Amino acid sequence: MLRIRLFESKVLDLFLKNYIRGPVHLYLGEEAIAVGVCSALQKDDYITSTHRGHGHCIAKGGDVKKMMAELLGKSTGYCKGKGGSMHITDMSLGILGANGIVGAGTPIAVGAGYALHLQKSNQIVACFFGDAATNQGSVHEAMNMASIWKLPVLFICENNLYGISTCIRDVCRLDDIAKRAEGYGFSGITIDGNDFFQVYETTKTAVEKIRQNGGPILIEAKTYRHEGHDIGDPEVYRSSKEVEQWKQKDPLLRMERDLLDRNILTQDIIDQMRSQIRKEIDQAVQFAFDSPEPPKEELLTDIFVKEGEL
Amino acid sequence: MREITFSQALNEALREEMIRDEKVFLMGEDIGLHGGAFGVTKNLVKEFGSERVRNSPLSEAGIAGIAVGAALLDMKPVVEFMFIDFTTIAMDQIINQAAKIRYMTGGQAKVPAVFRTQGGGGTGSAAQHSQSLENLFCYIPGLMVVMPSTPYNAKGLLKSSIRNPNPVVFIEHKLLYSKKGDVPEEEYLLPLGKANLMKKGRDITFISYSRMVHVALDAADQLAQEGIDVEVIDLQTLSPIDKETIFQSVQKTGKCLTIEEDCKSSGFGAEVAASIGEECFDYLDAPVRRIAAADVPVPFAASLESEALPDVDRIIRTTKMMNS
C-alpha cells in the first residue's frame, strides 16, 4: 500500500511538472483494495485492470521501474512506450492489462476464466472494475456468462462513488452494487474497501470458494478516490468537506494505526519502510529519466505477430 | 477430386483444427445442436462436447471479449457472429481490444482469435441482415481480414486463420454456403495475405473477392466471347492486401476494374484504386474504375435489391466502355 501511495504521489508530482503526458488516473485512497485482493491470490492467478490501474499492477508484483518508464513514454517501459498509463500489462505476472475502455476488462476476464476452465486449471481471474462500469452492457453479459458456465472469476467492484463527475447514486437505483450478482445467480458481498483486513479476509474466503466450486463471486468494495478522475479534474461535483471526510478514512493511515495497535509493526519500522520505498521510487524515476525514447523504427513493430515470433 | 459445399468445407476446417489442437474452441449463438445459422458447425458439438463448441447467449460484445481473454491465455477461440451486421455490437472488443492489445502492450501479448461471420446481400433479408462491412475491419490496424470465395479456399484459409497468431476477421458470404466445389481429401493450407490469380488475361484486370469473384468470372466468360481477354484476381485476404499480385497484373493489362459488394463510397475498391494510382500510375492506360453496391442500406424488394447490388451486366458495360 505504501509503495502504491508513494509511487502515485511521485506520478502526480511528475505530471504537474509536465514530465508525463496524456491522462493519468490516480488510485490514491483506494490502495487497500488492490493490495487486499492481490495478497489473497496465488502468484499465478490472473488479474484484469482498469484505466485506474497502477495500484493493481504494483499489488500484483509489477516492477515500478518499468511502470515509471512507461509513464514517461520510454523504450524501457512495460509497453516500450506504446501503451502509457492506461495499458500497463505484465503477462509474466498474470496482469492481463489495464484498459482504457470502461467495463471492457470484464468479458476479457471471463474469457481468461473460460480458458482456465478448459485447461482444467485451479487458477482464478480477479477482475477489477469501477462502479461506473457496472452500467456497461458488456459487464452484464460477462457476469451472466461467468455464472451460467461457472467460471473461476472474482469480480471486484471498486465503488469510489464517482464515474468522472457522475455520482453512482444518480445512475444506479441500488445502494449496494453487489446486489446485482443475485440477478445473475451468484453471490455478491459489500465491504469496506478502505479496510485492508476486511478486503483480504473477504477475498481469501471468496477465492477458496471459487477454487472449490468454479463459479464467480462479486465483491463490492466501497472506497473513495482522494484525487479527481484524472489529474486536472476541476472536481466541481464534490465538496472539499466530502473529500476531507473521506481522507479521515484513509486506508493507509488506518492500516498503520491497526498495525501499531496490534503491535505488529513499530513506528521505527514503518519509517524505515517509507524511506526504503521512497528510495526505490526515486530510483525508478531516475531509471525512467535515463532511459531512451522509443526509436522511430518502433512505430511499425508489434502490430502483428510475425512468423517465428512468440 | 470430391465435391463438397462451402459450409462443409468450413466444417471440415473447424473439425480438423479442433482435432489437431486442443486449444481450439468455438463459441457463438446457436452453434451447438442447431449447427449454426448456416450449418457450418453441424455435428461438432456431438464430437467435441459443449465446452469446446460453446453455445452462447445473445451477447456479441461478451463473446468477443471472451475470445480476447481466452486468446491472451494461449487458447485459440473461433467465435461465430451469426450475421456481420451483429459484429457492430461487439466492436469495442474487436477494434479497441483484439486489434490493439499487441501494440499497446509493446508486443507482450497476442490475440490469436478468429472472428467468423458472414455478410453480403441477395436473400431479401433487408438492411440489417445484408451488409458488407468488410471495410470497417480493413481500416483497423492489427486485424487481418479474410474473405473466401470457394469451398477450396474457404477451407484452406480458415485453417490458416485458426493457426495464425493474430486476430482474424473471417467473412463468409451467405450466398456461397451451398456452393459446391472441389476440395482435396488430404490436408492443405492456403497462405493469408496472398491473392489468387483465378484467370489469366491480357486486356484488363478484374480485382474482386468473396461472392463477387464468381460474378466477375461470369462477366469475364461473356467478355471473352467478344474478344476481351480479362484477368481475374481473387484477393482472398483483404488485409493485409497482396499488392504485388495486383500491381503485376495491372502492369501487364494496363487497365483495372474493382468489383465488390460493399458500398462504393469509401469502399474497398477505393483503396485498391488509390494504391494503383499511387504506385502503378505509369502503367495505366485508363483510370481505375469501380463496380460496387449503391450507397444505400440494402433494400428488401427483389427489384430494388438487385438494382443495389453489382451484377454481370454492369461489369460488362463498364469493361466495354473502358476498352473502347
Side-chain angles (χ1 to χ4, degrees):
Chain A
M1 283 171 71
L2 194 52
R3 187 171 285 111
I4 299 171
R5 176 66 56 98
L6 295 178
F7 178 87
E8 290 232 308
S9 303
K10 182 58 83 177
V11 168
L12 176 58
D13 178 45
L14 292 172
F15 186 92
L16 295 173
K17 289 177 179 156
N18 280 328
Y19 287 114
I20 296 175
R21 61 203 300 268
V24 170
H25 310 89
L26 296 174
Y27 195 64
L28 294 168
E30 305 186 28
E31 297 93 336
I33 305 173
V35 180
V37 169
C38 290
S39 316
L41 298 176
Q42 286 174 10
K43 217 173 167 184
D44 61 355
D45 287 330
Y46 292 92
I47 66 165
T48 61
S49 176
T50 69
H51 60 288
R52 199 176 302 289
H54 305 158
H56 308 139
C57 190
I58 292 174
K60 193 70 174 50
D63 180 338
V64 288
K65 280 187 175 171
K66 287 185 179 176
M67 288 177 67
M68 199 60 90
E70 187 59 35
L71 289 168
L72 267 70
K74 298 300 185 77
S75 64
T76 52
Y78 260 121
C79 312
K80 301 188 208 162
K82 290 174 173 176
S85 171
M86 286 191 285
H87 304 296
I88 293 177
T89 299
D90 187 338
M91 295 302 285
S92 69
L93 293 173
I95 302 167
L96 298 177
N99 208 311
I101 309 290
V102 169
T106 49
I108 293 175
V110 173
Y114 198 77
L116 294 172
H117 176 73
L118 289 177
Q119 291 164 2
K120 302 197 179 354
S121 165
N122 82 334
Q123 290 155 273
I124 71 149
V125 190
C127 170
F128 292 97
F129 54 97
D131 46 285
T134 61
N135 293 322
Q136 286 281 14
S138 60
V139 175
H140 294 269
E141 294 185 7
M143 288 191 177
N144 180 50
M145 286 189 275
S147 180
I148 55 176
W149 299 328
K150 279 186 160 288
L151 300 178
V153 182
L154 176 65
F155 294 105
I156 312 284
C157 176
E158 301 177 312
N159 185 352
N160 65 16
L161 298 182
Y162 294 95
I164 308 186
S165 70
T166 303
C167 185
I168 188 66
R169 285 189 292 270
D170 297 333
V171 290
C172 175
R173 186 67 81 192
L174 300 172
D175 290 332
D176 294 330
I177 287 168
K179 283 185 191 151
R180 288 201 176 169
E182 200 186 324
Y184 304 113
F186 59 92
S187 60
I189 177 168
T190 300
I191 60 169
D192 179 354
N194 281 19
D195 178 353
F196 167 82
F197 295 102
Q198 203 182 347
V199 177
Y200 173 74
E201 294 296 341
T202 311
T203 307
K204 206 162 179 299
T205 309
V207 165
E208 274 165 24
K209 279 189 193 159
I210 291 170
R211 280 196 224 282
Q212 277 161 16
N213 305 325
I217 290 175
L218 167 62
I219 296 174
E220 174 195 13
K222 297 215 172 171
T223 188
Y224 198 78
R225 53 171 154 77
H226 288 178
E227 299 298 320
H229 165 69
D230 58 357
I231 308 173
D233 177 353
E235 295 182 60
V236 291
Y237 50 87
R238 61 185 194 178
S239 65
S240 52
K241 192 176 151 210
E242 182 185 290
V243 178
E244 277 317 306
Q245 276 172 351
W246 274 95
K247 281 192 176 173
Q248 299 300 313
K249 301 184 217 170
D250 181 342
L252 188 68
L253 292 177
R254 184 167 168 180
M255 172 91 163
E256 283 184 10
R257 262 200 317 269
D258 275 354
L259 292 170
L260 291 170
D261 288 351
R262 295 188 194 185
N263 290 322
I264 297 170
L265 288 182
T266 63
Q267 189 61 48
D268 269 359
I269 294 175
I270 292 175
D271 291 345
Q272 269 175 35
M273 283 169 74
R274 183 170 278 119
S275 90
Q276 190 200 326
I277 293 170
R278 192 162 277 146
K279 207 185 284 174
E280 192 188 314
I281 303 296
D282 287 343
Q283 283 168 354
V285 174
Q286 199 56 47
F287 171 78
F289 276 132
D290 292 344
S291 294
E293 302 282 331
K296 291 201 166 63
E297 307 85 79
E298 275 293 334
L299 178 68
L300 298 176
T301 63
D302 302 325
I303 302 166
F304 289 114
V305 184
K306 296 198 188 84
E307 253 176 81
E309 271 185 322
L310 278 179
Chain B
M1 204 183 291
R2 70 194 172 130
E3 271 204 337
I4 58 173
T5 66
F6 194 86
S7 335
Q8 284 167 334
L10 292 165
N11 182 276
E12 283 189 3
L14 293 172
R15 182 172 177 271
E16 287 175 17
E17 291 307 299
M18 289 182 83
I19 290 169
R20 180 182 169 270
D21 184 354
E22 61 178 23
K23 291 176 182 171
V24 179
F25 73 92
L26 316 183
M27 185 173 278
E29 297 155 3
D30 300 299
I31 67 164
L33 278 179
H34 189 63
F38 298 90
V40 174
T41 55
K42 208 170 167 184
N43 293 327
L44 295 178
V45 71
K46 287 183 201 153
E47 186 172 353
F48 298 100
S50 61
E51 309 231 303
R52 287 185 72 197
V53 182
R54 180 53 92 181
N55 212 36
S56 79
L58 298 194
S59 302
E60 283 83 2
I63 62 177
I66 285 180
V68 173
L72 287 174
L73 264 64
D74 203 30
M75 297 299 284
K76 295 240 170 204
V78 183
V79 160
E80 177 174 313
F81 297 111
M82 202 178 275
F83 286 81
I84 198 169
D85 316 75
F86 309 164
T87 62
T88 56
I89 306 165
M91 282 301 186
D92 168 53
Q93 288 294 339
I94 301 172
I95 292 178
N96 296 324
Q97 312 296 333
K100 305 289 194 293
I101 282 175
R102 184 160 185 82
Y103 196 79
M104 291 190 310
T105 62
Q108 277 188 74
K110 62 179 168 151
V111 183
V114 178
F115 301 103
R116 273 190 55 239
T117 186
Q118 55 78 282
T123 62
S125 301
Q128 293 172 340
H129 288 71
S130 302
Q131 293 176 87
S132 295
L133 298 179
E134 55 268 23
N135 222 27
L136 292 183
F137 301 107
C138 293
Y139 184 70
I140 304 301
L143 293 178
M144 300 180 99
V145 181
V146 179
M147 293 189 74
S149 59
T150 64
Y152 176 78
N153 71 6
K155 183 173 177 185
L157 292 168
L158 182 54
K159 283 170 69 82
S160 295
S161 298
I162 293 170
R163 294 189 200 185
N164 192 282
N166 297 294
V168 177
V169 178
F170 192 94
I171 306 169
E172 301 147 15
H173 196 290
K174 53 174 75 65
L175 287 182
L176 291 178
Y177 285 117
S178 58
K179 201 171 174 66
K180 283 191 166 180
D182 289 342
V183 175
E185 302 263 8
E186 61 275 15
E187 176 173 271
Y188 65 97
L189 296 168
L190 292 174
L192 304 187
K194 283 298 288 176
N196 181 24
L197 187 59
M198 298 287 279
K199 176 188 172 304
K200 283 193 175 180
R202 54 165 201 278
D203 296 328
I204 183 168
T205 303
F206 285 178
I207 296 174
S208 195
Y209 55 88
S210 189
R211 185 177 78 87
M212 280 298 135
V213 169
H214 304 285
V215 180
L217 286 169
D218 285 352
D221 275 352
Q222 292 188 33
L223 286 161
Q225 290 161 20
E226 302 187 35
I228 299 175
D229 189 15
V230 180
E231 181 142 307
V232 181
I233 292 173
D234 176 2
L235 288 175
Q236 300 189 120
T237 303
L238 271 60
S239 184
I241 186 171
D242 179 3
K243 286 187 183 176
E244 202 184 320
T245 301
I246 294 173
F247 293 163
Q248 267 174 11
S249 177
V250 171
Q251 284 170 13
K252 183 171 74 173
T253 62
K255 286 179 188 151
C256 179
L257 179 63
T258 65
I259 302 162
E260 66 205 297
E261 201 183 312
D262 60 342
C263 294
K264 187 168 185 179
S265 300
S266 303
F268 193 75
E271 172 63 28
V272 175
S275 296
I276 294 170
E278 263 182 344
E279 298 177 54
C280 255
F281 184 76
D282 292 347
Y283 296 91
L284 286 178
D285 297 326
V288 178
R289 297 196 64 118
R290 295 176 285 150
I291 298 279
D295 291 336
V296 297
V298 176
F300 169 69
S303 59
L304 293 177
E305 185 175 24
S306 61
E307 184 62 22
L309 302 180
D311 60 16
V312 171
D313 285 349
R314 270 167 65 195
I315 297 171
I316 290 174
R317 274 202 311 276
T318 307
T319 309
K320 281 185 180 167
M321 195 174 69
M322 289 173 76
N323 255 42
S324 61

